Coordinates of all heavy atoms in Angstrom, one line a residue:
M1 N 180.6 75.3 112.0 CA 179.5 74.4 111.6 C 179.1 74.6 110.1 O 178.9 73.7 109.4 CB 178.3 74.5 112.5 CG 177.2 73.6 112.2 SD 176.2 73.3 113.6 CE 175.7 71.7 113.4
A2 N 178.9 75.9 109.7 CA 178.5 76.2 108.4 C 179.5 75.7 107.4 O 179.1 75.2 106.3 CB 178.3 77.7 108.2
I3 N 180.8 75.7 107.7 CA 181.8 75.2 106.7 C 181.7 73.7 106.6 O 181.8 73.2 105.5 CB 183.2 75.7 107.2 CG1 183.3 77.2 107.1 CG2 184.3 75.0 106.4 CD1 184.6 77.8 107.7
E4 N 181.5 73.0 107.7 CA 181.3 71.6 107.6 C 180.0 71.2 106.8 O 180.0 70.2 106.1 CB 181.3 70.9 109.0 CG 182.6 70.9 109.6 CD 183.7 70.0 108.9 OE1 183.3 69.2 108.1 OE2 184.9 70.2 109.2
Q5 N 179.0 72.0 107.0 CA 177.7 71.7 106.2 C 178.0 72.0 104.7 O 177.5 71.2 103.9 CB 176.6 72.6 106.7 CG 176.1 72.3 108.1 CD 175.1 73.3 108.6 OE1 175.1 74.4 108.2 NE2 174.3 72.8 109.6
A6 N 178.7 73.0 104.4 CA 179.0 73.3 103.0 C 179.9 72.2 102.4 O 179.7 71.7 101.3 CB 179.7 74.7 102.8
Y7 N 180.9 71.7 103.2 CA 181.7 70.7 102.8 C 181.0 69.4 102.6 O 181.2 68.7 101.6 CB 182.9 70.4 103.8 CG 184.0 69.6 103.2 CD1 184.9 70.2 102.4 CD2 184.0 68.2 103.4 CE1 185.9 69.5 101.8 CE2 185.0 67.5 102.8 CZ 186.0 68.1 102.0 OH 187.0 67.4 101.4
A8 N 180.0 69.1 103.5 CA 179.2 67.9 103.3 C 178.4 68.0 102.0 O 178.1 67.0 101.3 CB 178.2 67.7 104.5
T9 N 177.9 69.2 101.6 CA 177.2 69.4 100.4 C 178.1 69.0 99.2 O 177.7 68.3 98.2 CB 176.7 70.8 100.3 OG1 175.8 71.1 101.3 CG2 176.0 71.0 98.9
A10 N 179.4 69.5 99.3 CA 180.3 69.2 98.2 C 180.6 67.7 98.1 O 180.7 67.1 97.0 CB 181.6 70.0 98.4
Q11 N 180.7 67.0 99.3 CA 180.9 65.6 99.3 C 179.7 64.9 98.6 O 179.9 63.9 97.9 CB 181.1 65.1 100.7 CG 182.4 65.4 101.3 CD 182.5 65.0 102.8 OE1 181.6 65.3 103.6 NE2 183.6 64.3 103.1
W12 N 178.5 65.4 98.9 CA 177.3 64.8 98.3 C 177.3 64.9 96.8 O 177.0 64.0 96.1 CB 176.0 65.4 98.9 CG 174.8 64.8 98.5 CD1 174.1 63.7 99.1 CD2 174.1 65.0 97.3 NE1 173.0 63.4 98.3 CE2 173.0 64.2 97.2 CE3 174.2 66.0 96.2 CZ2 172.1 64.2 96.2 CZ3 173.3 66.0 95.2 CH2 172.2 65.1 95.1
I13 N 177.7 66.1 96.4 CA 177.8 66.3 94.9 C 178.8 65.4 94.3 O 178.5 64.8 93.2 CB 178.1 67.8 94.6 CG1 176.9 68.7 95.0 CG2 178.5 68.0 93.1 CD1 177.3 70.2 95.0
V14 N 179.9 65.2 94.9 CA 180.9 64.3 94.4 C 180.4 62.8 94.3 O 180.5 62.1 93.3 CB 182.2 64.3 95.2 CG1 183.1 63.2 94.9 CG2 182.9 65.6 95.0
K15 N 179.6 62.4 95.4 CA 179.2 61.1 95.4 C 177.9 60.8 94.6 O 177.8 59.8 94.0 CB 178.9 60.7 96.9 CG 178.6 59.3 97.1 CD 178.6 58.9 98.6 CE 178.4 57.5 98.9 NZ 178.4 57.1 100.3
F16 N 177.0 61.7 94.6 CA 175.7 61.5 94.0 C 175.3 62.5 92.9 O 174.2 62.3 92.3 CB 174.6 61.6 95.1 CG 174.7 60.6 96.2 CD1 175.1 61.0 97.5 CD2 174.5 59.2 96.0 CE1 175.2 60.1 98.5 CE2 174.7 58.3 97.0 CZ 175.0 58.8 98.3
G17 N 176.1 63.5 92.7 CA 175.8 64.5 91.7 C 175.5 64.0 90.3 O 174.5 64.5 89.7
A18 N 176.2 63.1 89.9 CA 176.0 62.5 88.5 C 174.6 62.0 88.3 O 174.0 62.1 87.2 CB 177.1 61.5 88.2
E19 N 174.1 61.4 89.4 CA 172.7 60.8 89.3 C 171.7 61.9 89.1 O 170.6 61.6 88.7 CB 172.4 60.0 90.6 CG 173.3 58.8 90.8 CD 173.1 58.2 92.2 OE1 172.1 58.5 92.9 OE2 174.0 57.5 92.6
E20 N 172.0 63.1 89.5 CA 171.1 64.3 89.4 C 171.4 65.2 88.2 O 170.9 66.3 88.1 CB 171.1 65.1 90.7 CG 170.8 64.3 91.9 CD 169.3 63.8 91.9 OE1 168.5 64.5 91.3 OE2 169.1 62.7 92.5
G21 N 172.3 64.7 87.3 CA 172.7 65.4 86.1 C 173.8 66.5 86.4 O 174.0 67.3 85.5
L22 N 174.5 66.4 87.5 CA 175.6 67.3 87.8 C 176.9 66.7 87.4 O 177.0 65.4 87.3 CB 175.6 67.7 89.3 CG 174.3 68.2 89.8 CD1 174.4 68.4 91.4 CD2 174.0 69.6 89.2
D23 N 177.9 67.5 87.1 CA 179.2 67.0 86.7 C 180.1 67.3 87.9 O 180.7 68.4 88.0 CB 179.7 67.7 85.4 CG 181.0 67.1 84.9 OD1 181.6 66.3 85.7 OD2 181.4 67.5 83.8
P24 N 180.4 66.3 88.7 CA 181.3 66.6 89.9 C 182.7 66.9 89.5 O 183.4 67.5 90.3 CB 181.2 65.2 90.6 CG 180.0 64.5 90.1 CD 179.8 65.0 88.7
S25 N 183.1 66.7 88.3 CA 184.5 67.0 87.9 C 184.6 68.5 87.6 O 185.7 69.0 87.3 CB 184.9 66.2 86.6 OG 184.2 66.6 85.5
R26 N 183.5 69.2 87.6 CA 183.5 70.7 87.3 C 183.0 71.5 88.5 O 182.5 72.6 88.4 CB 182.6 71.0 86.1 CG 183.0 70.3 84.8 CD 182.1 70.5 83.7 NE 182.0 72.0 83.5 CZ 181.0 72.5 82.8 NH1 180.1 71.8 82.2 NH2 181.0 73.8 82.6
L27 N 183.3 71.0 89.7 CA 182.8 71.6 91.0 C 183.7 72.8 91.3 O 184.9 72.8 91.3 CB 182.9 70.6 92.1 CG 182.3 70.9 93.4 CD1 180.8 71.2 93.3 CD2 182.5 69.8 94.4
A28 N 183.0 74.0 91.5 CA 183.6 75.2 91.8 C 183.0 75.8 93.1 O 181.8 75.4 93.4 CB 183.5 76.2 90.7
V29 N 183.6 76.7 93.7 CA 183.1 77.3 94.9 C 183.4 78.8 94.9 O 184.5 79.2 94.4 CB 183.7 76.6 96.2 CG1 185.2 76.8 96.3 CG2 183.1 77.1 97.5
A30 N 182.5 79.6 95.4 CA 182.7 81.0 95.4 C 182.0 81.6 96.6 O 181.0 81.1 97.1 CB 182.1 81.6 94.1
G31 N 182.4 82.8 97.0 CA 181.8 83.5 98.1 C 182.3 84.9 98.2 O 183.3 85.3 97.8
D32 N 181.4 85.7 98.8 CA 181.8 87.1 99.1 C 181.7 87.4 100.6 O 181.0 86.8 101.3 CB 180.9 88.1 98.3 CG 179.4 88.1 98.8 OD1 178.9 87.0 99.2 OD2 178.8 89.1 98.7
S33 N 182.6 88.4 101.0 CA 182.7 88.8 102.4 C 183.1 87.6 103.2 O 184.0 86.9 102.9 CB 181.4 89.5 102.8 OG 181.6 90.1 104.1
V34 N 182.3 87.3 104.2 CA 182.6 86.1 105.1 C 182.4 84.8 104.2 O 183.1 83.8 104.5 CB 181.7 86.1 106.3 CG1 180.3 85.7 106.0 CG2 182.3 85.1 107.4
G35 N 181.6 84.8 103.2 CA 181.5 83.7 102.3 C 182.8 83.5 101.5 O 183.2 82.3 101.2
G36 N 183.6 84.5 101.3 CA 184.9 84.4 100.7 C 185.8 83.7 101.6 O 186.6 82.8 101.2
N37 N 185.7 84.0 102.9 CA 186.6 83.3 103.9 C 186.2 81.8 103.9 O 187.0 80.9 104.0 CB 186.4 84.0 105.2 CG 187.1 83.3 106.3 OD1 186.7 82.2 106.8 ND2 188.2 83.9 106.7
M38 N 184.9 81.5 103.9 CA 184.4 80.2 103.9 C 184.8 79.4 102.7 O 185.2 78.2 102.7 CB 182.9 80.1 104.1 CG 182.4 80.6 105.4 SD 180.6 80.8 105.5 CE 180.1 79.1 105.4
T39 N 184.9 80.1 101.5 CA 185.3 79.5 100.3 C 186.8 79.1 100.4 O 187.1 77.9 100.0 CB 185.2 80.5 99.1 OG1 183.8 80.7 98.9 CG2 185.8 80.0 97.8
A40 N 187.6 79.9 101.0 CA 189.0 79.6 101.2 C 189.1 78.4 102.1 O 189.9 77.4 101.9 CB 189.8 80.8 101.7
A41 N 188.3 78.4 103.2 CA 188.4 77.3 104.1 C 187.9 76.0 103.5 O 188.5 74.9 103.7 CB 187.5 77.6 105.3
L42 N 186.9 76.0 102.7 CA 186.4 74.8 102.0 C 187.5 74.2 101.0 O 187.7 73.0 101.0 CB 185.2 75.1 101.1 CG 183.9 75.3 101.9 CD1 182.8 75.8 101.0 CD2 183.5 74.0 102.6
T43 N 188.2 75.1 100.4 CA 189.3 74.7 99.4 C 190.4 74.1 100.2 O 191.0 73.1 99.8 CB 189.7 75.9 98.6 OG1 188.6 76.5 97.9 CG2 190.8 75.5 97.6
I44 N 190.8 74.7 101.3 CA 191.8 74.1 102.2 C 191.4 72.7 102.7 O 192.2 71.7 102.7 CB 192.2 75.0 103.3 CG1 192.9 76.3 102.8 CG2 193.1 74.3 104.4 CD1 193.0 77.4 103.8
L45 N 190.1 72.6 103.2 CA 189.7 71.3 103.7 C 189.7 70.2 102.5 O 190.1 69.1 102.8 CB 188.2 71.4 104.2 CG 188.0 72.0 105.5 CD1 186.5 72.1 105.9 CD2 188.7 71.2 106.6
A46 N 189.3 70.6 101.3 CA 189.3 69.7 100.2 C 190.7 69.2 99.9 O 190.9 68.0 99.7 CB 188.7 70.4 99.0
K47 N 191.7 70.1 100.0 CA 193.1 69.7 99.8 C 193.5 68.8 100.8 O 194.2 67.8 100.6 CB 193.9 71.0 99.7 CG 195.4 70.6 99.3 CD 196.2 71.9 99.1 CE 197.6 71.5 98.7 NZ 198.5 72.6 98.5
Q48 N 193.2 69.1 102.1 CA 193.7 68.3 103.2 C 193.0 66.9 103.2 O 193.7 65.9 103.5 CB 193.4 69.0 104.6 CG 194.2 70.2 104.8 CD 193.8 71.0 106.0 OE1 192.7 70.8 106.5 NE2 194.7 71.8 106.5
R49 N 191.7 66.9 102.9 CA 191.0 65.6 103.1 C 191.0 64.8 101.8 O 190.9 63.5 101.9 CB 189.5 65.9 103.4 CG 189.4 66.5 104.8 CD 188.0 66.9 105.1 NE 187.9 67.5 106.5 CZ 186.8 68.0 107.0 NH1 185.6 67.9 106.3 NH2 186.8 68.6 108.2
G50 N 191.2 65.4 100.7 CA 191.4 64.7 99.4 C 190.2 64.0 98.8 O 190.3 63.3 97.8
D51 N 189.0 64.2 99.3 CA 187.8 63.5 98.7 C 187.0 64.5 97.8 O 186.1 64.0 97.2 CB 186.9 62.9 99.8 CG 186.4 63.9 100.8 OD1 187.0 65.0 100.9 OD2 185.5 63.6 101.6
V52 N 187.3 65.7 97.8 CA 186.6 66.7 97.0 C 187.6 67.5 96.3 O 188.7 67.9 96.8 CB 185.7 67.7 97.9 CG1 185.1 68.8 97.1 CG2 184.6 66.9 98.6
H53 N 187.3 67.8 95.0 CA 188.3 68.6 94.2 C 187.5 69.8 93.6 O 186.5 69.5 92.8 CB 188.9 67.8 93.1 CG 189.8 68.6 92.2 ND1 191.0 69.1 92.6 CD2 189.6 69.0 90.9 CE1 191.5 69.8 91.6 NE2 190.7 69.7 90.6
F54 N 187.9 71.0 93.9 CA 187.3 72.2 93.3 C 188.2 72.6 92.1 O 189.4 72.7 92.3 CB 187.2 73.3 94.3 CG 186.3 73.0 95.4 CD1 186.7 72.8 96.7 CD2 184.9 73.0 95.2 CE1 185.9 72.6 97.8 CE2 184.0 72.7 96.3 CZ 184.5 72.5 97.6
V55 N 187.6 72.8 91.0 CA 188.4 73.2 89.8 C 188.6 74.7 89.8 O 189.4 75.2 89.1 CB 187.7 72.8 88.5 CG1 187.7 71.2 88.4 CG2 186.3 73.3 88.3
H56 N 187.8 75.4 90.6 CA 187.9 76.9 90.6 C 187.4 77.4 92.0 O 186.5 76.8 92.5 CB 187.1 77.5 89.5 CG 187.2 79.0 89.5 ND1 188.2 79.7 88.9 CD2 186.3 79.9 89.9 CE1 188.0 81.0 89.1 NE2 186.8 81.2 89.7
Q57 N 188.0 78.5 92.5 CA 187.4 79.2 93.6 C 187.5 80.7 93.3 O 188.4 81.2 92.7 CB 188.2 78.9 94.9 CG 189.6 79.5 95.0 CD 190.2 79.4 96.4 OE1 189.5 79.0 97.3 NE2 191.4 79.7 96.5
S58 N 186.4 81.4 93.7 CA 186.4 82.8 93.6 C 186.1 83.5 94.9 O 185.2 83.1 95.6 CB 185.2 83.3 92.6 OG 185.5 82.9 91.3
L59 N 187.0 84.4 95.3 CA 186.9 85.1 96.6 C 186.6 86.5 96.3 O 187.4 87.2 95.7 CB 188.2 85.0 97.4 CG 188.8 83.6 97.6 CD1 190.1 83.7 98.3 CD2 187.8 82.7 98.2
C60 N 185.4 87.0 96.6 CA 185.0 88.4 96.4 C 185.1 89.1 97.7 O 184.3 88.8 98.6 CB 183.6 88.5 95.8 SG 183.4 87.5 94.3
Y61 N 186.0 90.1 97.8 CA 186.3 90.8 99.0 C 186.2 90.0 100.2 O 185.4 90.2 101.1 CB 185.5 92.1 99.1 CG 184.0 92.0 98.9 CD1 183.2 91.8 100.0 CD2 183.4 92.1 97.7 CE1 181.8 91.7 99.9 CE2 182.1 92.0 97.5 CZ 181.3 91.8 98.6 OH 179.9 91.7 98.5
P62 N 187.0 88.9 100.3 CA 186.9 88.0 101.5 C 187.4 88.6 102.8 O 188.3 89.5 102.8 CB 187.9 86.8 101.1 CG 188.9 87.5 100.2 CD 188.1 88.6 99.4
V63 N 186.8 88.2 103.8 CA 187.2 88.6 105.2 C 188.4 87.6 105.5 O 188.1 86.4 105.8 CB 186.1 88.5 106.2 CG1 186.7 88.8 107.6 CG2 185.0 89.4 105.9
I64 N 189.6 88.1 105.4 CA 190.7 87.2 105.7 C 191.5 87.6 107.0 O 192.4 86.9 107.4 CB 191.7 87.1 104.5 CG1 192.1 88.5 104.1 CG2 191.0 86.4 103.3 CD1 193.2 88.5 103.0
D65 N 191.2 88.8 107.5 CA 191.8 89.2 108.8 C 190.7 89.9 109.6 O 190.4 91.1 109.3 CB 193.0 90.2 108.5 CG 193.7 90.6 109.7 OD1 193.2 90.3 110.8 OD2 194.6 91.4 109.6
A66 N 190.3 89.2 110.6 CA 189.2 89.8 111.4 C 189.7 90.7 112.5 O 189.0 91.2 113.3 CB 188.4 88.7 112.0
G67 N 191.0 91.0 112.5 CA 191.6 91.9 113.5 C 191.1 93.3 113.4 O 191.1 94.0 114.4
Q68 N 190.7 93.8 112.3 CA 190.1 95.1 112.0 C 191.1 96.2 112.4 O 190.6 97.3 112.8 CB 188.8 95.2 112.7 CG 187.8 94.2 112.2 CD 186.7 94.0 113.2 OE1 186.6 94.6 114.2 NE2 185.8 93.1 112.8
D69 N 192.4 96.0 112.4 CA 193.3 97.0 112.7 C 194.4 97.2 111.6 O 195.5 97.6 111.9 CB 194.0 96.7 114.0 CG 194.7 95.3 114.0 OD1 194.7 94.6 113.0 OD2 195.4 95.0 115.0
T70 N 194.0 96.9 110.4 CA 194.9 97.1 109.3 C 194.7 98.4 108.6 O 193.7 99.1 108.8 CB 194.7 95.9 108.2 OG1 193.4 96.1 107.7 CG2 194.9 94.6 108.9
D71 N 195.7 98.8 107.8 CA 195.5 100.1 107.0 C 194.3 100.0 106.1 O 193.6 101.0 106.0 CB 196.8 100.3 106.2 CG 198.0 100.7 107.0 OD1 197.8 101.1 108.2 OD2 199.1 100.5 106.5
S72 N 194.0 98.9 105.5 CA 192.9 98.8 104.6 C 191.5 99.0 105.3 O 190.6 99.6 104.8 CB 192.9 97.5 103.8 OG 192.7 96.4 104.6
Y73 N 191.4 98.5 106.6 CA 190.2 98.7 107.3 C 190.0 100.2 107.6 O 189.0 100.8 107.5 CB 190.3 98.0 108.7 CG 189.6 96.6 108.6 CD1 190.3 95.5 108.5 CD2 188.2 96.5 108.7 CE1 189.7 94.2 108.5 CE2 187.6 95.3 108.7 CZ 188.4 94.1 108.6 OH 187.7 92.9 108.5
R74 N 191.1 100.9 108.0 CA 191.0 102.3 108.3 C 190.8 103.1 107.0 O 190.0 104.1 107.0 CB 192.3 102.8 108.9 CG 192.4 102.3 110.4 CD 193.6 102.9 111.1 NE 194.9 102.3 110.7 CZ 195.3 101.1 111.1 NH1 194.6 100.4 112.0 NH2 196.5 100.6 110.7
E75 N 191.3 102.7 105.9 CA 191.2 103.5 104.6 C 189.8 103.2 104.0 O 189.2 104.2 103.5 CB 192.3 103.1 103.6 CG 192.2 103.9 102.4 CD 193.4 103.6 101.4 OE1 194.3 102.8 101.8 OE2 193.3 104.0 100.3
F76 N 189.3 102.0 104.0 CA 188.1 101.7 103.2 C 186.9 101.5 104.0 O 185.8 101.4 103.4 CB 188.4 100.5 102.3 CG 189.5 100.6 101.3 CD1 190.7 100.0 101.5 CD2 189.4 101.5 100.3 CE1 191.7 100.1 100.6 CE2 190.4 101.7 99.4 CZ 191.6 101.0 99.5
T77 N 186.9 101.5 105.3 CA 185.7 101.3 106.1 C 185.3 102.7 106.6 O 186.0 103.2 107.4 CB 185.9 100.3 107.2 OG1 186.3 99.1 106.7 CG2 184.6 100.1 107.9
M78 N 184.2 103.2 106.1 CA 183.8 104.5 106.5 C 183.1 104.4 107.9 O 182.4 103.5 108.1 CB 182.9 105.1 105.5 CG 183.5 105.3 104.1 SD 182.3 105.8 102.8 CE 181.3 107.0 103.6
V79 N 183.2 105.4 108.7 CA 182.5 105.4 110.0 C 181.0 105.7 109.7 O 180.2 105.1 110.3 CB 183.1 106.5 110.9 CG1 182.3 106.6 112.2 CG2 184.6 106.2 111.2
D80 N 180.7 106.6 108.8 CA 179.3 106.9 108.5 C 179.1 106.9 107.0 O 180.0 107.3 106.2 CB 178.9 108.3 109.0 CG 178.9 108.4 110.5 OD1 178.3 107.5 111.1 OD2 179.5 109.3 111.0
G81 N 178.0 106.4 106.5 CA 177.6 106.5 105.2 C 177.9 105.3 104.3 O 177.5 105.2 103.2
S82 N 178.7 104.3 104.7 CA 179.0 103.2 103.9 C 177.9 102.1 104.1 O 177.1 102.2 105.0 CB 180.4 102.6 104.2 OG 180.4 102.0 105.4
V83 N 177.9 101.1 103.2 CA 176.9 100.1 103.3 C 177.1 99.3 104.7 O 176.1 99.0 105.4 CB 177.0 99.1 102.1 CG1 176.1 97.9 102.3 CG2 176.7 99.8 100.9
L84 N 178.3 99.1 105.0 CA 178.6 98.4 106.3 C 179.7 99.2 106.9 O 180.9 99.1 106.5 CB 179.0 97.0 106.0 CG 179.2 96.1 107.2 CD1 177.9 96.0 108.1 CD2 179.6 94.7 106.8
D85 N 179.4 100.0 107.9 CA 180.5 100.7 108.6 C 181.3 99.9 109.6 O 181.0 98.7 109.8 CB 179.9 102.0 109.2 CG 178.9 101.7 110.4 OD1 179.0 100.5 110.9 OD2 178.2 102.6 110.8
L86 N 182.3 100.4 110.1 CA 183.2 99.7 111.0 C 182.4 99.0 112.2 O 182.7 97.9 112.6 CB 184.3 100.6 111.5 CG 185.5 99.9 112.3 CD1 186.0 98.7 111.5 CD2 186.5 100.8 112.6
T87 N 181.5 99.7 112.7 CA 180.7 99.2 113.8 C 179.9 97.9 113.3 O 179.9 96.9 114.0 CB 179.7 100.2 114.4 OG1 180.4 101.3 114.8 CG2 178.8 99.6 115.5
G88 N 179.4 98.0 112.1 CA 178.7 96.9 111.6 C 179.6 95.7 111.3 O 179.3 94.5 111.5
V89 N 180.8 96.0 110.8 CA 181.8 95.0 110.6 C 182.1 94.2 111.9 O 182.2 93.0 111.9 CB 183.1 95.6 109.9 CG1 184.2 94.6 109.9 CG2 182.8 96.1 108.5
R90 N 182.3 95.0 112.9 CA 182.6 94.4 114.2 C 181.4 93.5 114.7 O 181.7 92.4 115.2 CB 182.9 95.5 115.2 CG 184.3 96.1 115.0 CD 184.6 97.1 116.0 NE 186.0 97.6 115.7 CZ 186.3 98.9 115.8 NH1 185.5 99.8 116.2 NH2 187.6 99.3 115.5
V91 N 180.2 93.9 114.6 CA 179.1 93.1 115.0 C 179.0 91.8 114.2 O 178.8 90.8 114.8 CB 177.8 94.0 114.8 CG1 176.5 93.1 115.0 CG2 177.7 95.1 115.8
V92 N 179.2 91.9 112.9 CA 179.1 90.7 112.0 C 180.2 89.8 112.4 O 180.1 88.6 112.5 CB 179.1 91.1 110.5 CG1 179.3 89.9 109.7 CG2 177.9 91.9 110.2
T93 N 181.5 90.3 112.6 CA 182.6 89.5 112.9 C 182.4 88.7 114.2 O 182.6 87.5 114.3 CB 183.9 90.3 113.0 OG1 184.1 90.9 111.7 CG2 185.1 89.5 113.3
R94 N 181.9 89.5 115.2 CA 181.7 88.8 116.5 C 180.6 87.7 116.4 O 180.7 86.7 117.1 CB 181.3 89.8 117.6 CG 182.5 90.7 118.0 CD 182.0 91.7 119.0 NE 183.1 92.6 119.3 CZ 183.9 92.5 120.4 NH1 183.7 91.6 121.3 NH2 184.9 93.4 120.6
S95 N 179.6 88.0 115.6 CA 178.5 87.0 115.5 C 179.0 85.7 114.8 O 178.3 84.7 115.0 CB 177.3 87.6 114.8 OG 177.6 87.8 113.4
Q96 N 180.0 85.8 114.0 CA 180.5 84.6 113.3 C 181.6 83.9 114.0 O 182.1 82.9 113.6 CB 181.1 85.1 111.9 CG 180.1 85.7 111.0 CD 179.0 84.7 110.6 OE1 179.3 83.5 110.3 NE2 177.8 85.2 110.5
S97 N 182.1 84.5 115.2 CA 183.1 83.9 116.0 C 182.6 82.8 116.9 O 181.6 83.1 117.6 CB 183.9 84.9 116.8 OG 184.5 85.9 115.9
P98 N 183.1 81.6 117.0 CA 182.6 80.6 117.8 C 182.7 80.8 119.3 O 181.9 80.3 120.1 CB 183.4 79.3 117.4 CG 184.6 79.8 116.8 CD 184.3 81.2 116.2
D99 N 183.7 81.7 119.7 CA 183.9 81.9 121.1 C 183.3 83.2 121.6 O 183.5 83.6 122.8 CB 185.4 81.9 121.4 CG 186.1 83.0 120.6 OD1 185.6 83.4 119.5 OD2 187.3 83.3 120.9
R100 N 182.5 83.9 120.7 CA 181.9 85.2 121.2 C 180.5 85.3 120.6 O 180.2 84.8 119.5 CB 182.7 86.4 120.6 CG 184.1 86.5 121.1 CD 184.6 87.9 120.7 NE 185.9 87.9 120.3 CZ 186.6 88.9 119.8 NH1 186.0 90.0 119.6 NH2 187.8 88.8 119.5
G101 N 179.7 86.0 121.3 CA 178.3 86.3 120.9 C 178.3 87.6 120.2 O 179.3 88.3 120.2
P102 N 177.1 88.1 119.8 CA 177.0 89.4 119.2 C 177.3 90.5 120.1 O 177.2 90.4 121.3 CB 175.5 89.4 118.7 CG 174.9 88.1 119.0 CD 175.9 87.3 119.8

């Protein structure tokens, strides 16, 4: 749902942005963590649907594999002491999944 809401915002900017002093031809999208994943999804939707064009996308440490069983998860996610440890990553991932609750 959040991705569709963000996409609807981009559509609004394309349609009405110029009236508000925005330049729809310079539309960019960016996100970090799960927002990076959403940024990628928005860009894919725009390409598929063809009504929105992003001139740039920035993905800051995007969540692109929620499996949490990769070498990078094991190497870079600390069990204790990090800002978001592996337990926290799992809680956040489950809360963002449409088929699972927290």
Side-chain angles (χ1 to χ4, degrees):
M1 177 157 219
I3 293 171
E4 288 295 342
Q5 290 172 338
Y7 196 82
T9 301
Q11 289 175 310
W12 185 92
I13 292 169
V14 168
K15 190 171 182 178
F16 301 110
E19 297 171 18
E20 301 296 327
L22 304 174
D23 183 353
S25 71
R26 298 178 57 197
L27 191 58
V29 63
D32 65 325
S33 192
V34 73
N37 179 284
M38 293 173 67
T39 294
L42 287 172
T43 304
I44 291 168
L45 283 177
K47 184 174 182 179
Q48 291 173 341
R49 295 178 181 176
D51 58 341
V52 172
H53 175 73
F54 295 110
V55 296
H56 179 81
Q57 71 169 350
S58 291
L59 311 177
C60 302
Y61 51 90
V63 176
I64 55 173
D65 181 357
Q68 300 160 2
D69 60 356
T70 64
D71 289 340
S72 65
Y73 266 101
R74 286 186 286 281
E75 183 177 351
F76 297 111
T77 305
M78 298 170 45
V79 175
D80 293 311
S82 69
V83 174
L84 186 60
D85 64 17
L86 189 54
T87 301
V89 170
R90 288 182 177 140
V91 168
V92 170
T93 301
R94 286 178 187 259
S95 72
Q96 298 296 321
S97 299
D99 58 340
R100 295 192 218 174

